[in-house]
Amino acid sequence: QVQLVESGGGLVQPGGSLRLSCAASGIIFSIHVMGWYRQAPGKQRESVAAITSGGNTNYGDSVKGRFTISRDNANNTVYLQMNSLKPEDTAVYYCSAARYGNILLWGQGTQVTVSS
């Protein structure tokens, strides 16, 4: 099956940390730009972070300095380390795989809730 499967979401207190994982199958993982998006109720899906085949990264302004994206090509997995979490980080987080700026595949999403 060609798919991305996210895991690691959950409930965390403000200031806490969480690490999301996205396991890819059915694709040549190493050639894809991998990304994380999030969508909160009533809001558009927004880009959180992306990492290229060569390891270059990009972050949304709202998470820069707090989140870190990484990839493990040997295990076909991309990670999102989230630190200093804020209530406004609450959203469904989606993993994506892209080629030449076109997103080809989405994961099913994992819920992240930041609340006291």
Side-chain angles (χ1 to χ4, degrees):
Q1 243 285 301
V2 177
Q3 63 180 12
L4 304 175
V5 180
E6 301 99 334
S7 62
L11 175 64
V12 64
Q13 294 185 1
S17 297
L18 215 54
R19 189 172 83 153
L20 305 183
S21 298
C22 172
S25 60
I27 65 170
I28 305 174
F29 180 81
S30 62
I31 69 172
H32 288 81
V33 174
M34 302 302 298
W36 289 95
Y37 287 73
R38 68 186 183 187
Q39 188 165 25
K43 295 186 177 181
Q44 301 223 356
R45 189 171 296 189
E46 65 173 340
S47 178
V48 174
I51 184 167
T52 69
S53 300
N56 294 317
T57 59
N58 188 56
Y59 299 93
D61 289 341
S62 63
V63 307
K64 196 170 186 177
R66 299 187 297 121
F67 291 10
T68 303
I69 188 171
S70 62
R71 65 192 297 160
D72 182 353
N73 287 344
N75 290 303
N76 288 8
T77 303
V78 62
Y79 303 95
L80 185 68
Q81 178 67 46
M82 305 185 293
N83 299 325
S84 302
L85 283 162
K86 305 174 180 179
E88 50 262 47
D89 295 319
T90 296
V92 177
Y93 284 71
Y94 298 90
C95 181
S96 67
R99 291 272 282 157
Y100 302 106
N102 299 312
I103 296 175
L104 304 176
L105 190 62
W106 291 99
Q108 83 287 351
T110 185
Q111 177 71 47
V112 172
T113 302
V114 184
S115 176
S116 298

